[in-house]
Amino acid sequence: MVDYQCEVLLKGGQLLQAGGNSHEERVDVAIANGRILAIAPSLSLKASQVLELDGKIISPPFVESHIHLDSALTAGEPRWNQSGTLFEGIEIWRERKETLSLEDVKQRAIATLKQQAMQGVLFVRSHADVSEKNLIALQGLLEVREAVKDWITLQVVAFPQDGIYGSPKNDELIEEALRQGADAVGGIPHYEPTREDGVASMHRVFDLAEKYDTLIDVHCDEIDDDQSRFLEVIAANAIRRGNGAKVTASHTTAFGSYNNAYAFKLMSFLDRSGINFIANPLINITLQGRTDTYPKRRGVTRVKELWQRGLNVSLGHDCVQDPWYSLGTGNMLDVASMAVHICQMTGRQEIDACYDMVTWHGAKTLHVEDEYGLEEGKPANLVVLEASDRYDAIRRRAIARYVFSRGRLIANTTPAQSQWQGIETPALA
Ligand code: 17E
Ligand code: FE2
């Protein structure tokens, strides 16, 4: 009988390091009992499974820090978003959510999570619309969180899509969602009936987070209006309460439209607040700019400048085939690639940073850093990518060759092979 010392031995991969370049030297990684047992240039351990990686990169898993799983896979139901605006999307979803059932929510959420996991995503933060009279979206996603916990980590945000003060019952519903166990409290200040309501909703969100000890993730200033200024209310609350690390401002697309005099002042408050940011470049570039003629704004927050100042920025898909965005695959390299383009992060370190925004930075946003990363003793969550470094991974949308979750191989993908069948070109003399 063979006496195995580990379950899996990955041989000759390049380990990605947080904030740095790929390791030049190749390493072996041993997995045992669901955890990373050892990482060293060469390991001679008996393993039940040995995989030769031949220089492929070993990455910590992708982190999807912003998605709506309750609406995923409903594009076209009951109708297509013809204007392409956020607001038509909200109206279509309002009709679709009348017909939600638990089964419907759970089936679409799990199908989407599987699609994500097969592409190396093992940590997900999803919003659940709680401005919905029976809290079915929330209940469905809380059940899914439990059902999938052995292979993917799901966080659920209680998100009041129609505004906390948009209808009389919504304030009660969001609090009930926190009692039922949502991980984070959300908001949508730019869609509250008045500016004052928007400001009040932000104080309310911080009070609720304190009362139920949850994280905060607000859809904030998701509009091209340069007068939409709720981000400052979030920053001020985080500074006063000292909880910035647990607070996230999602979208903040209006920040791309603020005048620089205001933006520079705001930046120094953001520095002090230490809050996290999430941009959703696929969705921001399509939903925003819709009221412009030409020149047409990009409608994305100041990702490059926030990152340069050392603030934590991560990236999300936001949607996979829903009323706001009919495309989407769950692949985080699509998101990173779009960020490279619309945020103009084409410098070499900038491209690498966009990769980090869908991995380490996302883990920081989700507040799961303790269980995240490629270190001995941590849970063996990792992805082997068919790529030689981060830049190569983004450029070619490298496939996730092997996905390990809690030490188990949960998905593998075989590369497509193309063969040249055309006319041979004679070599030049
Ligand atoms: N709801 C919202 O307010 N904003 C979005 N981008 C999506 C849903 C997808
Ligand atoms: Fe969103």
Side-chain angles (χ1 to χ4, degrees), residues 66 68 127 159 219 222 251 280 318:
H66 188 124
H68 298 253
H127 296 261
F159 170 53
H219 281 65
E222 190 188 5
H251 294 295
N280 297 288
D318 205 9

Side-chain angles (χ1 to χ4, degrees), residues 130-182:
V130 295
S131 50
E132 182 259 307
K133 58 183 180 302
N134 300 314
L135 290 182
I136 288 172
L138 177 89
Q139 197 189 328
L141 292 188
L142 292 180
E143 287 180 25
V144 169
R145 180 178 74 183
E146 181 62 22
V148 301
K149 70 174 193 302
D150 291 338
W151 52 275
I152 196 163
T153 301
L154 176 62
Q155 280 183 357
V156 179
V157 185
F159 170 53
Q161 177 70 80
D162 297 332
I164 295 179
Y165 306 119
S167 96
K169 277 195 73 181
N170 287 359
D171 192 11
E172 215 174 284
L173 284 167
I174 195 169
E175 184 153 6
E176 177 55 25
L178 299 176
R179 270 187 227 112
Q180 290 189 19

